[in-house]
Amino acid sequence: MTSLTRRDVLGLAAALLPIVACGKPSQIVEPPEVDAIPDDAVVITNDSVLVRVERIPALRSIDGAAVLLAARVIIIRTGTTTFRALSAECPHSGCGVSIIDTPRLICPCHGSEFDFSGNRLAGPAPTGLRMLRADFNEANGVLQVTRSIAPQLRPNSSRA
């Protein structure tokens, strides 16, 4: 009979957690990984967020996505020098959309799901995520996300 060490048990538990929590293995990235983003990668001001793209591993490849929960912003790399920015605030109850299950974004509070364009896919959210302005300066590798938006940039919104 082989005895298991504490490390073996913890490793097995970590491997099974996504299966138990979601019913299937997936590429879920939750806030603990978001916290791994270096402090010098993001600067938050009142109306914008500056992101040094090369400092965030998830943004190094096309279709890579990162949740910057402290800034309440989700960044998706759409091309070599193009990015999409979405508000991480769920339109249902204001929780932080913080789970990336490519190609979906999920709000952990009530299960609303969105695609990488911010469109609502499922759940109680009445609309999609707000799209934010994202300007990439290729010369210095900095993405500037403006957190105030124009009403026409709101995916899946109904006009009154």
Side-chain angles (χ1 to χ4, degrees), residues 1-6 8-9:
M1 180 177 211
T2 305
S3 63
L4 295 175
T5 66
R6 182 175 188 270
D8 294 332
V9 172

Side-chain angles (χ1 to χ4, degrees), residues 82-152:
T82 57
F83 297 84
R84 177 177 300 118
L86 303 168
S87 170
E89 187 173 310
C90 182
H92 173 243
S93 64
C95 291
V97 176
S98 60
I99 300 172
I100 299 172
D101 187 5
T102 302
R104 297 175 303 139
L105 304 166
I106 303 169
C107 179
C109 294
H110 301 105
S112 289
E113 297 180 15
F114 309 90
D115 66 17
F116 273 17
S117 292
N119 298 307
R120 180 192 168 277
L121 299 174
T127 65
L129 298 173
R130 292 183 302 138
M131 191 174 297
L132 307 174
R133 182 176 174 153
D135 297 303
F136 183 62
N137 183 325
E138 195 173 352
N140 63 13
V142 173
L143 178 70
Q144 179 175 354
V145 177
T146 305
R147 292 195 279 188
S148 59
I149 60 158
Q152 69 270 19

Side-chain angles (χ1 to χ4, degrees), residues 9-34:
V9 172
L10 290 174
L12 182 60
L16 292 176
L17 184 59
I19 297 168
V20 173
C22 302
K24 64 181 175 96
S26 66
Q27 300 173 348
I28 292 181
V29 178
E30 297 192 50
E33 187 151 329
V34 172

